[in-house]
Amino acid sequence: MPDLHPRTEQPEARRETGKNAEHEPVLTGTFVSVLLVGAVITACWLGVLYLFISRN
């Protein structure tokens, strides 16, 4: 009878260096996108704050 239970073995943590190491993706674009979204949110907030202060 085949074994119907999935194996629960944990994969071994690999800490390889050199040519065989897995390369992590470059996150430069993600960082720039987050900065741009933050700048837009900050600009909107400052615009609303300016409107609030100038009307009083």
Side-chain angles (χ1 to χ4, degrees):
M1 218 169 165
D3 186 17
L4 299 177
H5 300 287
R7 296 184 182 190
T8 58
E9 298 173 3
Q10 297 293 329
E12 295 179 13
R14 295 183 183 178
R15 291 187 172 257
E16 300 175 0
T17 57
K19 294 181 181 178
N20 294 332
E22 294 182 19
H23 298 289
E24 293 186 13
V26 179
L27 298 177
T28 306
T30 304
F31 179 67
V32 170
S33 299
V34 169
L35 286 180
L36 287 174
V37 170
V40 168
I41 291 172
T42 302
C44 290
W45 189 88
L46 289 174
V48 170
L49 180 64
Y50 173 74
L51 285 174
F52 176 75
I53 291 173
S54 66
R55 291 184 183 217
N56 283 336

